[in-house]
Amino acid sequence: KSDLDVSHPIRLSVIQNQARHQLVESSTKKDGALLNAAVEQLRSVHSCRLETLGCEHPDTAESQRVLGEALIRVSSNAAKETEVSWASLAFEVCPEVCTVRQFRKLRSCLQDYGVERLLAELVRTNIVDSSSGQLNIGSRTFNLYACLGSGTAVQPGPRMMQEKLGPFKDRYMVCSNRPESEKMWDCDDPAWLGRASLSKRHLTLLMRDRHWEWFNI
């Protein structure tokens, strides 16, 4: 039995290397149970490094990368046999989508997961209408941007900017965030994370086409 603490860097490296070996073995033997065991080990390593080292540390970033690759494998294997939602899988594979590399990783994961499965999930959760393929704009799944794009909701300020789109104004729409979110654009309060505007004069360009394959929010 090892005398090293469970969070010791050497022990975490050993666990991660063992999980990597299991990933190779699971691929060779087509062993789903071995794949799942490897994923759980990688999750524990990433969680421990995140807690002790922080998200910016190179070791944490490396464990996130390895875990992401393993989860992509899960999405194309075990996930096809179970009801793993794209919403949860995507967040675990790639918590942030800010770079070309991250986008490519997430796109590859979606290709393995299956676009038709994604559509089925969107329909099941009432985000997309099954008959038209359009984003729903009813009260059950309120989407402000979809309402703005359809014209069922109006923002007074951006309407003046709409004319500046010229011949493209029938295909696109300029919109802004909620007034309270715009005021908090430079706020450091964690409560406003994901709600405050991205910059002082941030605007969003929407497509008027609400089809689920095209609408951008």
Side-chain angles (χ1 to χ4, degrees):
K1 182 178 179 180
S2 174
D3 293 329
L4 296 178
D5 181 77
V6 68
S7 62
H8 193 284
I10 295 178
R11 186 166 186 176
L12 291 177
S13 295
V14 170
I15 294 173
Q16 179 166 288
N17 288 334
Q18 182 184 46
R20 279 176 158 172
H21 178 71
Q22 288 177 329
L23 287 175
V24 175
E25 286 289 296
S26 68
S27 179
T28 303
K29 299 178 180 179
K30 308 297 181 184
D31 189 334
L34 197 58
L35 173 60
N36 290 334
V39 168
E40 288 307 311
Q41 282 188 300
L42 292 171
R43 276 198 181 109
S44 67
V45 171
H46 178 256
S47 177
C48 193
R49 284 177 170 170
L50 192 63
E51 182 178 348
T52 58
L53 302 176
C55 61
E56 301 298 327
H57 195 279
D59 287 351
T60 306
E62 171 66 8
S63 61
Q64 172 63 44
R65 184 187 67 79
V66 177
L67 175 60
E69 292 175 354
L71 287 169
I72 290 175
R73 289 267 308 279
V74 170
S75 74
S76 61
N77 293 300
K80 290 181 179 179
E81 302 173 3
T82 58
E83 289 302 318
V84 178
S85 74
W86 171 250
S88 60
L89 180 63
F91 184 78
E92 192 163 18
V93 168
C94 203
E96 293 182 346
V97 188
C98 305
T99 66
V100 172
R101 182 179 178 180
Q102 290 170 339
F103 179 81
R104 284 175 177 165
K105 179 196 290 188
L106 197 59
R107 181 174 61 181
S108 175
C109 182
L110 176 58
Q111 289 170 339
D112 287 336
Y113 184 84
V115 176
E116 293 304 318
R117 289 185 68 198
L118 170 61
L119 176 58
E121 181 176 329
L122 294 174
V123 170
R124 186 171 61 252
T125 53
N126 295 312
I127 295 174
V128 171
D129 178 71
S130 59
S131 58
S132 66
Q134 301 280 313
L135 268 70
N136 285 318
I137 55 175
S139 58
R140 293 181 64 186
T141 52
F142 182 70
N143 183 331
L144 175 61
Y145 293 105
C147 291
L148 290 170
S150 67
T152 56
V154 178
Q155 290 182 324
R159 289 183 66 184
M160 297 182 289
M161 304 177 196
Q162 186 68 19
E163 296 302 318
K164 295 182 180 180
L165 294 179
F168 301 102
K169 64 182 181 180
D170 293 331
R171 292 182 59 191
Y172 303 97
M173 172 173 285
V174 179
C175 68
S176 62
N177 210 329
R178 299 176 187 273
E180 59 271 23
S181 297
E182 290 188 329
K183 292 178 182 178
M184 305 300 289
W185 70 272
D186 61 345
C187 178
D188 294 328
D189 187 344
W192 283 94
L193 184 64
R195 297 167 54 202
S197 290
L198 299 178
S199 63
K200 188 174 183 179
R201 298 179 180 84
H202 182 75
L203 294 171
T204 301
L205 187 66
L206 297 178
M207 298 186 69
R208 286 183 177 271
D209 185 348
R210 287 188 296 112
H211 194 273
W212 78 280
E213 290 182 313
W214 298 109
F215 197 74
N216 55 322
I217 297 182

